[in-house]
Amino acid sequence: GGGQGWELSGFVVASSSGDALGGRLCAATPPLAGRRAPRVCVWESSPWVGATGPPPAPVAAAGSPFPLLFSLRLACCSDEEAQFSLGLTLGAACWPLRARPLLGPRAPPGLFANVAPAGVELAPLCYVNGRRVLLPPGRGEATLLEFLREKGLTGTKLGCGEGGCGACTIMVSAWDAASGRPRHRAVNACLAPLYSVEGCAVVTVEGIGNRDAGLHPVQARLAAAHGSQCGFCTPGFVMSAYALMREDPAPSDAAVERALAGNLCRCTGYRPIMRAFTELARQAREGDAAAKEAAPAGRVCPSTGKPCGCGGGAKPGGLLGASVAADDAESTAAARAAEGLVTPAEPLFPVELRRREPKPLRLPGAHATWHRPRELDALLALVTAHPHARIIGGNTEVGVEARFKGVEDPVLIAPTHVPELTALKETPDGLRVGGAVTLTDLEARCHEVAADRPMACAAAAAVASQLQWFAGAQIRNVATVAGNVCTASPISDLNPILVACGATMTLAREKGGGVATREVAAADFFLGYRKTAMAEGEVLLAVTLPRAKGVAPGALDIVHDFKQSHRREDDIAIVTAGVRVLLEPEAGGSYVVREAGVGMGGVAPRTIRCQQVEAALVGQTWGRKALDAALRAVREDVTLPENVPGGMPEYRMALSSAVLFKFFAKATLALPAAAVVDGDTTRAELESAAAAVHRAPCDGQPTWPPAVDAAGEVGQPHAHVAAEMQVSGEARYVDDAPLPAACLHAVPVISEKPRAVVTAIDASQALAMEGVEGFFGAADVPGDNMIGPIMHDEECFVAVGSEAPCCGALIGLVVAETEAVARRAARAVEVTYEERTPVLTIEDAIAAGWYLDNTGDKPHTLNVGDTEGVIAAVERGEGPEGARVVHGEIKIGGQEHFYLEPMSCVVSPGEGGEMVVLQSTQCPNKTQVMVSGVLGVAANRVVCKTKRLGGGFGGKETRAAFLSAAAAVPAQKLGRAVRLVLDRDLDMKMTGTRHPFLGRYAVAFQPDGALLAADVQLYSNGGYSCDLSIPIIDRAAFHSDNCYAVPNFRVRARACRTNLPTNTAFRGFGGPQGMIVAETWVAHVAAAVGLEPEVVRQRNFYKAGEVTPFGQELVEGEWRVPAIWEELRVKADYDTRAKAIDAFNTGSRWLKRGLAMVPTRFGISFTAKFMNQGASLVHVYTDGTVLVTHGGTEMGQGLHTKVCQVAADALGVPLASVHVAETSTDKIPNASPTAASASSDLYCMATKMACEKLMARLLPYRKAEGKGWLQAAALAAYLDRVDLSEHGFYATPDITQFDWDEPSPKGRPFNYFTMGAAVAEVELDCLTGEAAVRRADVLMDLGRPLNPAIDVGQVEGAFVQGLGWCMLEELKWGDSEHSWGREGHLISVGPGAYKIPAAADAPADFRVHLLEGADNPRAVHSSKAVGEPPFFLAASAWAAARKAAAAARSDAGKGSNFFRLDSPATPERLRMACADELTADVAADDLLRGSAAEV
């Protein structure tokens, strides 16, 4: 409490029936007339409650009541809903309590129990969606996300827990007294400490609009633009865009892209998202320009500071002063207009917070005490008293440590309100930046200084440039300068610039009751890994970016930044640097280096000063000799051993040279035109070295054929049926649903060894913790502990005495009352091991003979002709004249699914052994079967339900089931529901990835590139158990010829067993790996004969009527790849662009471009024949509405939307009349997984069949035309006792089960093929390896699309996901190739270390076309499957990058020989493939252990 009163919070009110509803009251007054009084329970009351006499301090000023605002629904004895009059009794008085709704029309009341009215000062407070909220006590360790979700605001998602995905984005607004307006910032709620928003206004996606009250334009535009697929990431995108447009109502397209850099989407490919928000921004800019022209003179908006006509100069005491009265509609309207609010749901920035002076906070708690001092001496006193306290700015580092490393800090200090630390000002010494200044504010000021006063601080432009690539906006908005500097990360973005420009650090400490300061040069500040020169008790008060002094006339103070990372946006650095030179003019027009500063990160355990480089430069005349001296010197400053932590030693050393070369180019170009620079480096070469790869916001206009029936529902580009729920946060996922009563929380205990026998498990410490209900492992399994989707070859829980087969294997579950307790307890479980030597790589497995199949020494083989004989004959010189053979291999990395919704399930026990599982899964049937097996109960006692998935991509086809089975064990044992939601790091460690592959080949060919024979070997890394590895390697074999007819062809395929987590299905299911091997040997042949790969590809295309190696004919009229190729070549203007790129490359030494064209042919069907079946249940109700339940799951691919369209079309009703219910095993039994791209074929056809039966049954009752006929007909049929329910079942015809045991297996495993081609243009920075896709053209044969907009979205999403696979996403394990990592452990964990494409990685110009006139008689409504086939077409970018690197190699004198380029073509691989003079002294020409070796 404070001087004005006593705070009451966190209370529980119970109804007369004893049901807990919420609240803590001391007493209650009699209820309204006729109602029984509710019973009040006092829970965790203050010490004085219940004691005799009055409280020990006055409650309020004399004669004034102490109101406590509270909203609550109480159930009375008559089961009616009523509002009771509640009161607070203190001493002899009973003060009435006023009540009102808290969170808007759709939110249930009572979400926040401890709420106070304006004008009563209670601690601590914030506003949530416009409602005043008292923050709960004792929660110093909690995050804002936890608090919001506890209170039912589940639109804000937990995607990663480390601020790397943006799913948790909300807007936090705070009053800025200097500008006289609120500042609106997007923030990651998963990292924001709960108490950090004290005194702020928080807005979540629920607070800006909903379907009932109306969507905000940001929400509506995204839904209409098809910018939401699975929808899990969607609220985060909405809030990032919303926060941007609240702060800058008319942002540029580039600002929109940058605002979204901290948000990841795994589904859409980003184009529709960017299109939605950039169009909205353009519309706002046009309106802003018009408003400025029309605005009355002198009228200025108090919200934005811009001219406006909103009446912003409204009444004193209204908007600009006191509260706007609730009944003052005019004032309220003016206030809303002034803040730019456009929907009724949007909250005004609270007037109270405009006038409220923040106060010091001390908030004690059981796990952490939160301090927020307001004065410097108070801060220093706290630091002195608590020397090991953590000082928190944005919590972007500490929060990650707390969640994923279990670090608990009992004392947390927030310096964010100390004026000396938040000051940002120019001084005679330079730009002085307070330690608590956010990076967003620092960047803005540096931009201002660089633009208006460049000589005031030469480093300002470099700092601003570097910060634009620092994390996402959500991080920059809260991260502080001191936090970035003092973590002393060796890959800090900012610290090398500080070292280079000679910045000084001002440190402060308490001394004799006062403040003592000292200054330390940045170059002396970083002492070691995460170690600085700060003494105990010191804080970083400020950093000063210096102003150059004593500069001679005409001198140039030049500072530039450098950062190279795996991904350009929102990524940690591989190498980062700052370089400064002071150049003074000399007689004759040359310049001499008077001062030099070079700081680098990523090349040592700390940020280093490159003193040898500095010494080599100072005194030199600026020119090529100076550069050469610096390049020689940098090898003395930067030398990395082979096993350096982080790996990539050659690449990092090459980048250190690139830093200097790029700086030389930029600095030289900045000299006056008359300057004299020695050396033979041309201006064109300098410009190409200085340039960065072109990136622009992704955009493009897709095209598709018109619907066959313009009046029908099929073929129309309807938005996803759940789009409006997704953009408003109303769509519920597993972890959003209200938990069952008394639900427990489970956290896994996993193996920390890659291969070891578990000798003992000691859970005693965990079990002793309060709130822990148990530890459950193999000994507790009542049924069968052996599980697996095909072969039962893995344990649900690793038993004592069994071998833990990998790091991440499940040993047990800790179950507790809260997730936080369960997490602490899981860390306390001790497991002892007897270690064995692990097998981790494909090469290790081949050497050990470790394979997953049961075929002995016989791989699965397809063979046509005499492959061995032809190749041998050619090698002996006995083949056709000029024929040759090439041999090679390629490694293809795995890929993390990175679905935004992590693995989630809630398992609820019922009576008689019943179990209901709510799970995010692609196959509820597999979950049902596995849970019943582990529990030892019949399948009819287990029901699995799935409403929607937040992404799946194959990762939730089989690997979700074992988690539900594990959670079902404690649920059954304890008789209580159990929730299990994996943290992102556990999800990545436990659930497997796309299979890594090794492809080897020998190919014979003629001089014109015609193929004679190809002998291909495929090996996959399946992990420790079979899972789906055999059908995946089979599909790789089926697609290993891609679209090429090879008269003699053999492929042999093996799945290897290793001590990694079991790898599993992923979009493409092995097909892309087989095809990229094919594209490698095609490119190899093309290089050997001196032709473009596109010529060799086209020359060897299959012709209609030819037969594949597995015996399936490519039917005339259905085989369209040659036609697609020709049409796309014209659409993409391939020939003209290829010539233009050749011309560009001739004139550009260090920036190269490549253009490549690649086809695809993807077979549609499960290769296991029995799985090609689907069922649908259709109900017609007497109001004319239709309910469909089918066996497929909705994971963003639009399956439910297509089913609705097919049903509406078949029944002749509006689309809005059809609804698809959740997928459930008690409605549709034995359903196949939603996979293999076949679900629309199966379930739309089954639905169509059921509807056609109903239609025939209802036709006699049809009395009206048009789409409103069904209501009267259904009622009439019902009254006539006609069944209004029908079941549809469809089994794919004409396919055969492929038998690999036959000597020469042949069959028809696929119903048809989806085909397409893509052209990609890539730009490559040859000095860094950074590549960007300038343009992508895709042409797909999708038959007659059921919904062309959804299908285009699938093409775009698959393409960008494919870009990640072949250009960006690199899984790293502690193995022989990464010996610096912990053996067998996943190194690339979480979005901080594993990079999926961001918005800037999508093609800048993205053109997707659907082939016209392409009927498909083999599927519903002549459509074709779309989910997986486009994925491989991203390999066109990989092929284009190869061409760009080849151009660089040619300039470096390497000729046109073929060179190996493994997948993914990361910046490291591409840079080293360029093999020029800057790499010669750090890497031999075999280039990084064969990753790009010349063959």
Side-chain angles (χ1 to χ4, degrees), residues 637-703:
D637 285 317
V638 178
T639 301
L640 301 175
E642 178 68 21
N643 63 343
V644 62
M648 303 179 287
E650 300 95 336
Y651 179 50
R652 289 153 71 182
M653 287 189 287
L655 287 176
S656 68
S657 298
V659 167
L660 300 176
F661 192 19
K662 279 185 167 289
F663 178 83
F664 172 77
K666 292 177 180 179
T668 303
L669 292 171
L671 297 178
V676 175
V677 180
D678 75 80
D680 58 358
T681 306
T682 66
R683 185 172 185 85
E685 183 177 351
L686 292 173
E687 288 174 346
S688 69
V693 295
H694 171 77
R695 293 181 186 272
C698 178
D699 201 0
Q701 184 61 54
T703 65

Side-chain angles (χ1 to χ4, degrees), residues 477-831:
N477 287 338
V478 295
T480 62
V481 171
N484 187 258
V485 170
C486 294
T487 54
S489 168
I491 52 174
S492 165
D493 292 359
L494 199 54
N495 294 342
I497 301 177
L498 302 181
V499 170
C501 74
T504 56
M505 316 296 194
T506 302
L507 308 179
R509 64 183 177 87
E510 184 184 43
K511 183 176 182 181
V515 177
T517 63
R518 67 184 179 106
E519 292 189 347
V520 178
D524 301 323
F525 188 74
F526 307 104
L527 305 181
Y529 180 73
R530 303 280 182 171
K531 184 178 180 182
T532 70
M534 292 175 64
E536 186 175 287
E538 285 186 323
V539 299
L540 180 57
L541 182 63
V543 176
T544 301
L545 301 175
R547 177 197 300 266
K549 297 180 179 178
V551 178
L556 298 173
D557 193 4
I558 302 173
V559 185
H560 284 295
D561 62 298
F562 177 92
K563 176 180 178 178
Q564 183 57 44
S565 51
H566 291 287
R567 185 179 69 199
R568 169 50 57 189
E569 289 190 331
D570 190 14
D571 195 1
I572 57 176
I574 298 171
V575 168
T576 180
V579 184
R580 171 185 176 262
V581 294
L582 180 62
L583 301 179
E584 291 186 354
E586 292 184 309
S590 61
Y591 282 78
V592 67
V593 181
R594 291 301 180 206
E595 297 177 11
V598 181
M600 284 196 189
V603 295
R606 60 183 177 87
T607 298
I608 65 168
R609 177 185 177 190
C610 296
Q611 298 185 58
Q612 298 301 319
V613 175
E614 293 175 358
L617 285 173
V618 173
Q620 288 267 10
T621 298
W622 188 252
R624 184 71 200 211
K625 290 180 181 178
L627 172 62
D628 291 341
L631 291 173
R632 289 191 297 270
V634 78
R635 289 285 69 81
E636 300 179 47
D637 285 317
V638 178
T639 301
L640 301 175
E642 178 68 21
N643 63 343
V644 62
M648 303 179 287
E650 300 95 336
Y651 179 50
R652 289 153 71 182
M653 287 189 287
L655 287 176
S656 68
S657 298
V659 167
L660 300 176
F661 192 19
K662 279 185 167 289
F663 178 83
F664 172 77
K666 292 177 180 179
T668 303
L669 292 171
L671 297 178
V676 175
V677 180
D678 75 80
D680 58 358
T681 306
T682 66
R683 185 172 185 85
E685 183 177 351
L686 292 173
E687 288 174 346
S688 69
V693 295
H694 171 77
R695 293 181 186 272
C698 178
D699 201 0
Q701 184 61 54
T703 65
W704 55 70
V708 175
D709 179 5
E713 298 293 350
V714 168
Q716 301 299 334
H718 291 296
H720 195 292
V721 291
E724 291 190 352
M725 290 190 291
Q726 292 168 345
V727 298
S728 61
E730 298 170 77
R732 283 186 175 179
Y733 301 80
V734 169
D735 202 32
D736 299 337
L739 292 176
C743 185
L744 298 169
H745 300 261
V747 170
V749 175
I750 62 173
S751 170
E752 294 295 330
K753 304 295 180 182
R755 186 185 178 199
V757 174
V758 175
T759 57
I761 302 172
D762 182 2
S764 58
Q765 292 185 50
L767 296 173
M769 294 183 180
E770 184 178 356
V772 173
E773 293 294 322
F775 171 83
F776 298 86
D780 302 291
V781 173
D784 189 354
N785 193 44
M786 298 303 297
I787 58 173
I790 299 175
M791 299 167 57
H792 286 204
D793 61 344
E794 59 180 300
E795 291 180 293
C796 183
F797 298 102
V798 178
V800 173
S802 294
E803 184 178 279
C806 69
C807 296
L810 181 61
I811 290 176
L813 293 177
V814 170
V815 177
E817 297 290 345
T818 69
E819 187 176 24
V821 171
R823 192 177 284 119
R824 291 190 190 98
R827 290 194 291 266
V829 175
E830 296 181 359
V831 182

Side-chain angles (χ1 to χ4, degrees), residues 998-1018:
L998 171 65
R1000 292 172 174 164
Y1001 58 85
V1003 181
F1005 53 93
Q1006 300 196 66
D1008 65 353
L1011 300 172
L1012 296 172
D1015 193 5
V1016 180
Q1017 297 178 74
L1018 299 176

Side-chain angles (χ1 to χ4, degrees), residues 209-246:
N210 54 64
R211 290 178 302 151
D212 289 349
L215 296 177
H216 187 276
V218 169
Q219 297 168 317
R221 185 64 62 94
L222 188 60
H226 308 281
S228 176
Q229 289 188 18
C230 85
F232 195 84
C233 70
T234 303
F237 274 97
V238 166
M239 293 310 298
S240 288
Y242 177 76
L244 169 68
M245 294 181 187
R246 282 293 298 271

Side-chain angles (χ1 to χ4, degrees), residues 59 145 396 446 544 553 574 611 968 1088 1124 1154:
V59 172
L145 178 64
T396 56
C446 284
T544 301
I574 298 171
Q611 298 185 58
I1124 290 170

Side-chain angles (χ1 to χ4, degrees), residues 340-410:
L341 307 184
V342 296
T343 69
E346 286 183 276
L348 278 164
F349 185 80
V351 173
E352 177 188 8
L353 298 185
R354 302 176 187 222
R355 301 177 302 180
R356 185 173 184 271
E357 181 69 24
K359 291 182 168 53
L361 295 179
R362 179 184 178 277
L363 303 170
H367 299 288
T369 296
W370 178 274
H371 296 270
R372 189 187 71 188
R374 289 283 286 119
E375 297 177 351
L376 179 59
D377 56 356
L379 168 64
L380 298 178
L382 283 169
V383 173
T384 301
H386 306 284
H388 301 295
R390 295 299 289 265
I391 302 179
I392 290 182
N395 200 42
T396 56
E397 177 102 0
V398 176
V400 173
E401 291 180 354
R403 185 170 188 88
F404 297 110
K405 297 181 181 180
V407 176
E408 295 189 4
D409 296 298

